Amino acid sequence: MAETRAGFVALLGPPNVGKSSLLNALLGQRLAIVSAKPQTTRSRILGILPRGDAQILFLDTPGRHRGTKALNTSLNAIVDEVTRDCDLAPAEVGESVMPAALAEEALPVSARKGKGLDALLDSIVARLPISPPLYGSDDLTDRPVRFLCAELIREAAMGLLAEELPHSIAVQVLTYEEGGSRPTRIRADLLVERDSQKRIVVGQGGQKIKQIGIRARQSIEALIGAKVHLELFVKVDPQWSKSARRMLELGYH
Ligand SMILES: Nc1nc2c(ncn2[C@@H]2O[C@H](COP(=O)(O)OP(=O)(O)OP(=O)(O)O)[C@@H](O)[C@H]2O)c(=O)[nH]1
Ligand SMILES: [Mg+2]
């Protein structure tokens, strides 16, 4: 029997350097959300890639950053945990992201142009432990589809809102009902921390939340391959980024 390999490969690095973009490029699928603003990723995102006889288990992580809010502490704890538990991690975490211990060996990659990805994957596979596959052959991630939908809604909001506000936003999917021949019906809360933020997210005459809804619906339809009816509600929840329990409920753990 052919020798199979499988292992966890961490994507580690400072905020906003392109870790999630690289994950998506390597998977050939938009799994992790991306934005031009730092602190986009808020949890460990597993992306499963079969390659020949190997199974690469990528772990996208939040960028390590300073800050003492419960959210920052919890994000850094995720980075520590993944660093400790993975089979391969960057030899040196600097400005660039290198998801493998490639001592002295540097591989130029571009997530945007899709350059260098094959060489990187070959290099990773060669370093994975001998192991049977750890997940099903069709699995893409361990996250439920409603979490991925919540993330796509947050991505749309991050893209359409100015500088500071995105960090105050969280999304919770309330209902997810597959409709058979009818559109999948999704209702979600878009949480902010203050009333003033709610006004900005709703926008004049509800224009901003309408734009967020349209963009998010298109991304979700592309993900699940079905028509979607999306309803968004903007709510003030001053506690979400201060409470560990609340963050767990939101899937940021
Ligand atoms: N030109 C170029 N831009 C890139 C590339 N990869 C990512 N970017 C851009 O860099 C920005 C950050 O990308 P993300 O993938 O969200 O970065 P991240 O490291 O996951 O960020 P955090 O989750 O906030 O730590 C986005 O605007 C991307 O479009 C690349 O290969 N080339
Ligand atoms: Mg990210």
Side-chain angles (χ1 to χ4, degrees):
M1 229 173 82
E3 202 168 63
T4 60
R5 289 171 187 268
F8 290 93
V9 179
L11 288 135
L12 300 167
N16 209 35
V17 294
K19 301 177 294 298
S20 300
S21 303
L22 182 58
L23 174 73
N24 293 341
L26 292 167
L27 293 176
Q29 168 112 15
R30 245 163 55 77
L31 176 66
I33 65 167
V34 164
S35 89
K37 299 164 182 111
Q39 297 184 31
T40 303
T41 304
R42 286 188 185 153
S43 57
R44 175 192 68 78
I45 309 273
L46 171 67
I48 304 167
L49 181 69
R51 189 169 170 88
D53 290 325
Q55 190 175 60
I56 312 176
L57 307 167
F58 287 109
L59 294 171
D60 187 18
T61 65
R64 188 187 287 285
H65 54 277
R66 295 184 196 89
T68 50
K69 268 171 67 161
L71 178 63
N72 300 96
T73 317
S74 133
L75 298 189
N76 285 340
I78 293 165
V79 179
D80 289 341
E81 187 190 303
V82 170
T83 307
R84 200 176 52 236
D85 295 346
C86 68
D87 296 295
L88 286 180
E92 220 175 284
V93 179
E95 284 302 298
S96 62
V97 177
M98 193 64 66
L102 306 171
E104 257 107 85
E105 185 185 345
L107 294 178
V109 295
S110 166
R112 185 163 294 175
K113 295 186 184 143
K115 280 196 180 152
L117 303 182
D118 267 317
L120 177 60
L121 289 173
D122 287 342
S123 170
I124 290 171
V125 168
R127 289 167 169 81
L128 288 182
I130 310 280
S131 161
L134 301 174
Y135 287 84
S137 55
D138 291 336
D139 292 349
L140 172 69
T141 185
D142 60 349
R143 289 309 187 98
V145 69
R146 47 198 294 157
F147 174 77
L148 302 179
C149 293
E151 289 286 88
L152 290 173
I153 295 165
R154 192 162 64 84
E155 181 179 57
M158 285 191 82
L160 287 162
L161 293 165
E163 280 312 312
E164 287 308 312
L165 197 52
H167 305 307
S168 301
I169 285 179
V171 176
Q172 188 165 29
V173 169
L174 307 170
T175 57
Y176 183 98
E177 294 162 5
E178 283 175 41
S181 56
R182 300 219 308 278
T184 296
R185 188 151 181 259
I186 301 170
R187 295 166 74 241
D189 278 348
L190 213 154
L191 307 174
V192 290
E193 294 174 298
R194 291 195 295 277
D195 262 329
S196 56
Q197 295 171 334
K198 176 172 172 174
R199 280 195 292 280
I200 297 170
V201 174
V202 171
Q204 275 218 323
Q207 274 306 308
K208 188 60 85 178
I209 190 66
K210 191 174 169 195
Q211 285 176 333
I212 294 170
I214 291 170
R215 191 182 283 193
R217 176 174 53 74
Q218 289 166 345
S219 305
I220 296 171
E221 286 178 341
L223 174 80
I224 68 173
K227 284 272 171 217
V228 166
H229 177 82
L230 177 65
E231 278 179 276
L232 293 179
F233 307 91
V234 185
K235 293 203 180 135
V236 179
D237 178 349
Q239 287 308 316
W240 81 257
S241 71
K242 300 175 188 85
S243 149
R245 183 186 56 82
R246 204 64 194 102
M247 281 189 283
L248 200 65
E249 283 169 5
L250 293 165
Y252 311 147
H253 49 70

